[in-house]
Amino acid sequence: MAVLEKGSPRRQSRSIIEWLNDERVRSVLYQAIVAIAVIAVARYLFVNTSENLQARGMSSGFDFLSGTAGFSIAWTVLPYEAGDSYFRVYLVGIVNTLIVSLVAIVFATLLGFIMGIMRLSKNWLISKIAAWYVEILRNTPLLLQILFWFLAVFSLLPPPRGSFGLLDMFFLNNRGFYMPAPVPGAGFDYTMIAILLAIAATYAVAVWAKKRQMATGQQFHTFWVGLGILFGLPILVFLATGSPLSFDFAALKGFNFQGGVSVPPAFCALLLALMIYHSAFMAEAVRAGILSVSHGQTEAAYSLGLRPGMTLRLVIIPQAMRAVVPPMISNWMNVVKNSSLAIAIGYPDLVAVYMQTSLNQSGHAIEIVAMVMLFYMSVSLTISMALNYYNKLVQLKER
Amino acid sequence: MSLETLDSGQEHIASAISDEVVIELSKVNKWYGEFHVLKDIDLTVYKGERIVICGPSGSGKSTLIRCINRLEEHQQGDILVNGVTMDTNLKNIDAIRRDVGMVFQSFNLFPHLTVLENCTLAPIWVRNTPKAEADRLAMQLLERVKIPEQAAKYPGQLSGGQQQRVAIARSLAMNPNIMLFDEPTSALDPEMISEVLDVMVGLAESGMTMLVVTHEMGFAKRVADRVIFMDQGEIVEQNTPGEFFNNPKSDRTKLFLSQILAH
Ligand SMILES: Nc1ncnc2c1ncn2[C@@H]1O[C@H](COP(=O)(O)OP(=O)(O)OP(=O)(O)O)[C@@H](O)[C@H]1O
Ligand SMILES: [Mg+2]
């Protein structure tokens, strides 16, 4: 350095080259170039689009959100009427998307674990059934599966008068699926409080049991005791307060069912298709995760005297989860994104209600597309932030 | 594979054999499908005895010692460990595994647990040892295998030799009276072999009953009370190391020794 500071011109030009060859300088430089390029492209698109919009006399801005949408939506979870605003439509769409996605995620995950474990079974028939399930479902397009369930199954169901019924509580027909609706009576709050208390108590017992084991070595059947508290306490409180919960049953009145809760055929078809299609991918994630733990781990645990159940809990599952959770979560994101295929069968999800009718009526293409993208991106980013946090938590330390 | 790994000039360490039988195999047979992997194995091991098992690849050495803690199931004959009969009774299998430690060629440490946790897992969950006590015992063992400073690290952060020493400490934490070793140094770089063998010599000196599958003939000469040669699922020859190396009886043994010492 001391030599360079004297600075003849030749030396200086060489020092610039050296500076450019510095790894850190390079990385900053490349990032700067990329950032400038991205901004330039974005600016071009923005200017271009707003000129186009002006040329066609279309307005921009978010004022339209408070305007009346004026159309009806076939099925909503949030209460909605034709006189509500566009913003209300946005929220209704989001909730419709989330409800079908969440239910699909829960069942797909369960099914995925079952199928993934079945495929590892030593029983030839069971593992073959699971293998066929996975291979058929993940190798046919999702859209095809959605249309199959909608057109070939749910649309061909009998009309309400010929419904399939179960225990006179559940009914399935070409109008949808009907279930009893729970109606909490006076004093049901106590049961809700009992549920919260039971969760807290179970947690406390688990902490206490762990502490005691570490101190004295005695083990405790946390699982069974926890299960007892979790169910026992709320049930006791529920019975003691006079069972304050009744059900509103769906019943055939005239040509259709009244009462209860119901979901339309499009919901059923979309739910089943998403659930079954994604469960196949999840099954693969589960299988790969379990296989990623070498048999040597089991042998080492057995040779130390650990029983199979403990080996699974303390050695295999903690390692398998590291491999299972990341692909599992990215599958969850895919369920949310793929639910937008709802548009093909007329299920009123966010894309269907907000990007079709609302967009056509209001003309605010940019704003509407941006809002819809914002929703999907927030969901994805939230999930991947959780995933990164989990990965950091469980990452194996290597040299 | 050399006599030099451990200085062959060193004396054979004093043997500590008692006349109490700890392992007894009689007429043990095992098949993998059609393949007859163990043929009429008879073997009696006395408390404190140190046995080295050698033989060509595929001769059934691993299978033999893995039958002793039921990682493999034998189909015929009787296996008695610490007076407990090896059968399908889970209680018996548990009892045997608690008192028989095993060290594997590929270490098989639990990568999601620290070195210390690797050593305390089984004592805590199998022996119901309080954590503080399990920690203290584990630290003592880590000192014995000369890596107490690694206790808080994860297995992936250690060298092969260090990992194998942790594996030995992990087995010892269950306070076994028999230790099985399946080629404990085969996966190690040459410079790490002696650090593991040193630990095993120390274990031998403490009077542990040991069955060691290894091709480290220097170790065999120094430590073994008996060397067993296996070939094609049979025990072909067994003798004291002196007799075994200098005066092999069977041609198969001679051939094997000439191959292994030629290296
Ligand atoms: N699970 C198994 N299924 C079928 N055959 C097996 C199985 N395990 C081992 N074998 C066969 O049994 C024979 C003995 O195996 P074993 O591992 O006991 O040999 P070894 O003497 O330990 O050999 P090496 O020195 O290579 O470790 C080998 O021929 C092997 O191919
Ligand atoms: Mg072997």
Side-chain angles (χ1 to χ4, degrees):
Chain A
M1 274 321 256
V3 187
L4 288 178
E5 271 156 19
K6 284 190 183 154
S8 71
R10 223 191 105 242
R11 283 243 166 83
Q12 236 157 31
S13 74
R14 243 196 69 196
S15 78
I16 286 178
I17 290 173
E18 264 170 22
W19 183 75
L20 279 175
N21 278 335
D22 188 314
E23 192 181 37
R24 287 159 297 178
V25 174
R26 279 287 175 96
S27 114
V28 172
L29 209 63
Y30 288 145
Q31 291 190 40
I33 293 172
V34 171
I36 290 170
V38 168
I39 291 170
V41 170
R43 206 190 96 86
Y44 170 77
L45 286 177
F46 179 76
V47 170
N48 198 314
T49 322
S50 50
E51 275 169 6
N52 284 348
L53 286 176
Q54 264 167 9
R56 292 189 201 174
M58 289 161 91
S59 59
S60 57
F62 288 92
D63 295 343
F64 76 98
L65 281 178
S66 51
T68 306
F71 57 85
S72 64
I73 299 177
W75 183 79
T76 69
V77 179
L78 287 185
Y80 171 84
E81 288 163 26
D84 284 339
S85 66
Y86 281 114
F87 188 65
R88 184 76 184 174
V89 174
Y90 181 58
L91 296 181
V92 163
I94 286 179
V95 174
N96 277 5
T97 287
L98 285 179
I99 196 97
V100 73
S101 306
L102 286 182
V103 179
I105 284 173
V106 170
F107 286 107
T109 306
L110 281 175
L111 204 57
F113 268 96
I114 292 171
M115 285 296 163
I117 290 168
M118 270 174 64
R119 202 170 170 186
L120 289 171
S121 164
K122 288 196 183 105
N123 182 314
W124 184 86
L125 186 65
I126 288 180
S127 87
K128 276 290 170 268
I129 290 174
W132 279 102
Y133 177 89
V134 167
E135 293 310 329
I136 291 175
L137 289 164
R138 64 179 190 152
N139 290 313
T140 44
L142 175 57
L143 185 56
L144 181 140
Q145 296 187 26
I146 293 175
L147 291 174
F148 165 79
W149 287 109
F150 187 64
L151 299 174
V153 179
F154 286 98
S155 301
L156 300 184
L157 290 173
R161 281 177 175 279
S163 292
F164 296 113
L166 182 69
L167 304 170
D168 267 352
M169 288 184 193
F170 301 94
F171 301 96
L172 185 65
N173 57 51
N174 65 2
R175 302 281 183 97
F177 179 64
Y178 296 78
M179 298 162 276
V183 183
F188 189 68
D189 295 352
Y190 292 112
T191 304
M192 297 304 281
I193 292 169
I195 291 174
L196 293 180
L197 277 180
I199 293 172
T202 306
Y203 180 73
V205 167
V207 170
W208 167 81
K210 177 100 192 163
K211 251 200 186 132
R212 189 186 72 156
Q213 186 188 355
M214 291 304 143
T216 68
Q218 272 175 290
Q219 290 175 38
F220 188 76
H221 294 286
T222 313
F223 180 78
W224 297 111
V225 173
L227 212 63
I229 298 176
L230 229 40
F231 284 94
L233 187 61
I235 290 173
L236 270 181
V237 171
F238 179 72
L239 294 178
T241 52
S243 310
L245 182 71
S246 57
F247 287 92
D248 172 23
F249 293 96
L252 192 61
K253 298 237 167 70
F255 289 112
N256 210 345
F257 277 89
Q258 308 264 303
V261 221
S262 69
V263 288
F267 178 95
C268 301
L270 184 64
L271 174 66
L272 269 178
L274 285 173
M275 163 183 139
I276 290 179
Y277 176 77
H278 284 285
S279 74
F281 289 90
M282 294 177 187
E284 279 302 276
V286 168
R287 183 175 79 112
I290 293 174
L291 284 180
S292 75
V293 184
S294 81
H295 192 55
Q297 294 288 308
T298 311
E299 293 190 338
Y302 284 0
S303 77
L304 288 166
L306 276 95
R307 282 269 181 98
M310 272 188 184
T311 301
L312 206 62
R313 181 153 65 92
L314 300 170
V315 176
I316 308 301
I317 291 178
Q319 292 183 61
M321 284 319 272
R322 283 156 220 262
V324 172
V325 168
M328 185 60 87
I329 288 184
S330 77
N331 264 302
W332 294 355
M333 292 203 278
N334 286 341
V335 173
V336 179
K337 289 188 281 187
N338 286 342
S339 71
S340 61
L341 289 172
I343 206 163
I345 54 172
Y347 173 74
D349 83 316
L350 177 62
V351 171
V353 298
Y354 203 53
M355 280 185 66
Q356 269 197 318
T357 330
S358 302
L359 195 152
N360 290 339
Q361 278 187 19
S362 73
H364 287 265
I366 303 281
E367 294 83 350
I368 284 182
V369 173
M371 284 173 79
V372 172
M373 276 171 60
L374 180 74
F375 163 72
Y376 285 106
M377 277 171 58
S378 339
V379 171
S380 293
L381 288 178
T382 313
I383 293 179
S384 56
M385 261 159 57
L387 180 59
N388 284 342
Y389 178 71
Y390 173 84
N391 278 340
K392 205 165 268 164
L393 218 61
V394 302
Q395 197 170 44
L396 286 187
K397 306 267 189 316
E398 304 270 351
R399 270 198 296 175
Chain B
M1 312 238 163
S2 64
L3 290 167
E4 291 74 39
T5 312
L6 277 179
D7 186 352
S8 40
Q10 281 175 295
E11 253 171 66
H12 187 277
I13 55 176
S15 92
I17 308 178
S18 78
D19 53 7
E20 184 187 336
V21 173
V22 285
I23 303 175
E24 176 130 47
L25 280 74
S26 40
K27 294 268 167 287
V28 169
N29 280 284
K30 174 170 177 62
W31 289 263
Y32 285 122
E34 292 286 288
F35 181 65
H36 199 172
V37 56
L38 293 180
K39 299 172 186 162
D40 281 338
I41 301 286
D42 286 312
L43 178 66
T44 305
V45 180
Y46 295 92
K47 188 161 184 278
E49 196 175 12
R50 303 177 297 256
I51 294 181
V52 163
I53 303 172
C54 60
S57 182
S59 54
K61 308 179 295 289
S62 300
T63 309
L64 174 63
I65 64 167
R66 287 159 59 86
C67 281
I68 293 171
N69 67 348
R70 194 63 163 200
L71 290 185
E72 303 288 354
E73 198 177 322
H74 66 289
Q75 281 118 14
Q76 261 180 26
D78 296 318
I79 299 181
L80 218 71
V81 182
N82 290 323
V84 180
T85 311
M86 181 78 76
D87 52 19
T88 49
N89 185 335
L90 291 173
K91 284 252 178 312
N92 290 355
I93 296 175
D94 281 344
I96 290 172
R97 282 180 178 163
R98 272 200 300 270
D99 293 328
V100 178
M102 182 156 201
V103 175
F104 302 85
Q105 178 175 350
S106 48
F107 325 140
N108 294 344
L109 292 177
F110 305 130
H112 61 300
L113 300 178
T114 64
V115 163
L116 189 71
E117 288 164 346
N118 264 275
C119 297
T120 57
L121 185 77
I124 288 176
W125 289 97
V126 180
R127 292 229 190 265
N128 289 350
T129 313
K131 184 171 185 304
E133 198 184 317
D135 282 350
R136 203 175 55 238
L137 174 69
M139 280 314 295
Q140 276 173 13
L141 290 167
L142 289 174
E143 261 156 46
R144 189 159 157 195
V145 300
K146 304 194 181 64
I147 34 174
E149 72 283 359
Q150 312 287 357
K153 287 199 184 160
Y154 285 84
Q157 296 172 300
L158 306 186
S159 74
Q162 290 172 326
Q163 290 192 48
Q164 193 60 299
R165 286 184 281 154
V166 173
I168 293 174
R170 177 178 70 175
S171 285
L172 292 177
M174 282 298 284
N175 199 16
N177 67 352
I178 300 169
M179 284 287 287
L180 309 173
F181 293 84
D182 192 357
E183 306 204 27
T185 57
S186 297
L188 297 177
D189 292 336
E191 71 272 18
M192 291 169 188
I193 292 179
S194 62
E195 69 189 45
V196 171
L197 290 182
D198 282 344
V199 168
M200 290 168 61
V201 169
L203 203 56
E205 278 166 344
S206 75
M208 177 68 75
T209 309
M210 295 164 74
L211 269 79
V212 186
V213 175
T214 185
H215 291 158
E216 292 295 336
M217 292 304 144
F219 176 81
K221 287 194 173 169
R222 176 143 179 236
V223 170
D225 297 309
R226 186 162 27 139
V227 181
I228 291 179
F229 174 66
M230 283 185 76
D231 192 15
Q232 296 178 359
E234 293 170 318
I235 294 182
V236 176
E237 184 165 348
Q238 45 181 319
N239 220 325
T240 59
E243 278 295 295
F244 182 83
F245 289 111
N246 301 326
N247 206 0
K249 303 277 183 303
S250 110
D251 290 339
R252 284 197 267 179
T253 315
K254 286 176 192 158
L255 179 68
F256 175 74
L257 284 176
S258 70
Q259 280 166 349
I260 204 165
L261 296 177
H263 278 276

